[in-house]
């Protein structure tokens, strides 16, 4: 629940295809400065807009904002859990059966890595 009594900012996002424009209180935000945005809302509360800014040395922001800083999660533990669940025989069978399995050096390793990536993405 948001206990901050300050008024929210008016945000307008116009998305067309793979491009979007973002305006905060009527001021357009440089499109190069925004790498992504997320909008969420809990019933009975104002919407929360999170702008993921890109690192553009000359970009300047001014105004009031509530800032949340989050660390990128360490992928190691999730990767370790995923790899621990892999059946080595099934991986070898899948990699050897791939139509893109090459004959050059390290081709089996490449096939296994490709297979693991597909399994991780649910493909």
């Amino acid at each position: 629940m948001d206990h901050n009594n300050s008024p929210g900012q008016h945000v307008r996002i116009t998305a067309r295809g793979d491009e979007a424009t973002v305006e905060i209180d009527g001021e357009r935000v440089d499109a190069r400065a925004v790498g992504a945005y997320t909008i969420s809302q809990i019933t009975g509360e104002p919407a929360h807009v999170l702008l993921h800014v890109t690192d553009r040395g000359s970009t300047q922001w001014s105004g009031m904002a509530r800032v949340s800083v989050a660390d990128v999660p360490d992928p190691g533990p999730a990767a370790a859990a995923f790899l621990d669940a892999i059946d080595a025989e099934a991986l070898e069978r899948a990699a050897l059966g791939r139509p893109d399995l090459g004959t050059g050096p390290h081709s089996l390793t490449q096939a296994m890595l490709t297979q693991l990536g597909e399994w991780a993405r649910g493909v």
Side-chain angles (χ1 to χ4, degrees), residues 96-121:
L96 289 171
R98 292 184 62 86
D100 60 350
L101 176 63
T103 57
H106 315 296
S107 60
L108 179 58
T109 302
Q110 182 60 52
M112 287 181 166
L113 291 171
T114 301
Q115 186 65 49
L116 287 169
E118 289 178 0
W119 284 347
R121 289 186 299 279

Side-chain angles (χ1 to χ4, degrees), residues 15-92:
R16 287 196 172 88
D18 62 350
E19 294 184 14
T21 58
V22 178
E23 294 178 11
I24 300 174
D25 286 338
E27 264 190 65
R28 191 171 181 164
V29 176
D30 183 355
R32 295 170 300 158
V34 178
Y37 61 87
T38 307
I39 303 170
S40 61
Q41 186 171 21
I42 296 173
T43 303
E45 293 187 19
H48 180 232
V49 178
L50 175 61
L51 299 179
H52 302 264
V53 295
T54 58
D55 186 13
R56 307 273 188 200
S58 64
T59 301
Q60 294 183 356
W61 296 84
S62 64
M64 239 167 63
R66 184 174 336 148
V67 177
S68 301
V69 178
D71 289 329
V72 176
D74 177 9
F82 171 75
L83 292 172
D84 285 346
I86 298 298
D87 178 317
E89 183 181 345
L91 174 59
E92 186 174 313

